[in-house]
Amino acid sequence: MSAPTVDPIEALRDRFQQAADAAFPGIALPPVAVVPSGNTQFGDYQCNSAMPFAKSLGKPPRQVAQELAAKINLDGLAEPLTDKSIAGPGFINLTLKNSAIDARLGQLNTPALGIVPDPAAPITVVDLCGVNLAKQMHIGHLRSSVIGDTLARVLERLIGKDKVVRQNHVGDWGLPIAMVTAHLMDLEAAGKVDLGTITLDQLDGIYKESKKLCDTCDDQIAYVKAWGSGTKVLAELEAANEAPAAALAHAKATLVRLQSGDKQVKRVWQRIYDVTMAACLATCARLNAIVLPEHSAGESFYEEKLAPLVEDLVKRGIAIESDGALIVRLDEFGIPEPVIIRKRDGGFIYATTDLAGVHYRTGALKAKRVVYCVDARQSLHFKQVFAASKKAGLCPPDALLEHAPFGTILGEDGRPFKSRSGDSVKLNEVIDEAEQSALAEVVSRYPDLPPDQQLTIARTVAVAAIRYTDLATERIKDYVFSFQRMVKAEGDTGPYLLYAYARTKGLAAKAEAQGLKASTFAVEHPSEKALALLLLRYPEAVNAVGTTLEPSRLCAHLYNIANAYSKFYNDCPVLTATEPTRSARLALSDLTARVLGDGLTLLGMPLLDRM
Ligand code: ARG
């Protein structure tokens, strides 16, 4: 960040750095560590550097702490150090001056809330959503859409809106898509479906049927042949294989027609595409995830780029033949598994489109950072793609290619979340059910509200609940999906944060009705101070999401703010306080409203001013 930071920790760190430079000139020391105090009785923060410094300096840590204390200039920032400030083996306890807190709150209190886009930050692509044609969005796409959207929102805030490009790498090409296209064309020719009115639900069914139709027993035949298991069983298998083999051949022929731009095939494919994307993007919209038609650049988008790319890799000796397929070896990157970029049958695969994607994103789109928000189970795939891209020079050597992997959503039985029939759960049904649970909760809380208002609140609460649940756990961890728990207004939940925000807005509305105005900040009470210190660390929490790609960092910080606000609300009467306390507290409450509102918006949670 280029603007002066409001973060007290950073300011203290700077002061300690200067003290270290003055006390121990010319000696290389580890970076200074200042952290929130473990026990607020002793101070707000503590510097823990005396111990590691002591090791480097060969001196007792308490002496090092004293030497640092002797050199440090805390003017205007923290209370002067006393003998009692140094504790235990050499912790230095620090208490901020209230005037310093007030001044920093004033700096934070701007439209940008202390977050200033870095003009030097590189263009960044966020790969998100990644749905597949002819399939309903299922629970697996919740995370790629919600986490991806959140990371994009945060990065937009940190580096500027025009520097973040969302890319939806839709699975819209290849043999499976050709299978469903071929089957759909047959059904249409037989007058069994109407392409004009077909729904994604129907396509989903046709997709499954087409897979079954093409389910050959080639593997078993090869096995029987290899083992010479007898002519009878072979004949049986070959008879059973006739229909699926024909269907598969038909699908392959359809793929060739699709690839060569055959108008009839293309028309049906396009219809599948349009129906799928309309439904999926509507589901994203329900989740408040910004995934729009212009973000789609799926496998088909790279179709024409694949053959020349692969040819070039062959020419340069980067892709080599192995067993009829083309591969890129990655041993020099410590990856023993080579990546396959062309199958034995000449077809390109998933990895090939991703290589073309790296080239396009770092070339045409000029991105220097590409963030892939995709399931952890694809970790090896991305390792391979990134290594192969570097090896082949498909991106600049300093391009940052990052996989932001996420864990699996589990049902309440602790197993991957499945529907009763064992299929993956459809995302629309998940949202419906969350709305039902939220409605029950809202009705019990506000029995007297008109039903339409109850419903509006329930819908907002449901989205907040789903998104927050998905974002609040460390990304890589699996988590259990519990409708009842996530819609609760107590505990570390989305609705709890919505209520906290609504409370700040409610107080502001009452103050306004009484003609009260907020004044400058004047922190006094410990609960005011605790809240203020968290607010001052808000920009840092947002920054941390940008570097770690870990939205849970922001969730945890907002949750702490909501708790601190609740304590402030109970401990420090606002409207009934006398001046000047009242207007100073109102200022703190208003700033909390803005920080919470900003943070929740970065998490993509819709806000309610009143609940
Ligand atoms: N369609 C893929 C799937 O469902 C996800 C795409 C992720 N993005 C990527 N660039 N590979 O697994």
Side-chain angles (χ1 to χ4, degrees), residues 127-132 141 169-171 299 350 354 361 372-374 378 381-382:
D127 185 301
L128 78 180
C129 188
V131 292
N132 300 309
H141 295 115
H169 195 86
V170 182
E299 296 177 16
Y350 189 46
D354 263 324
R361 292 163 176 189
Y372 292 82
C373 213
V374 187
Q378 295 193 22
H381 165 77
F382 284 108

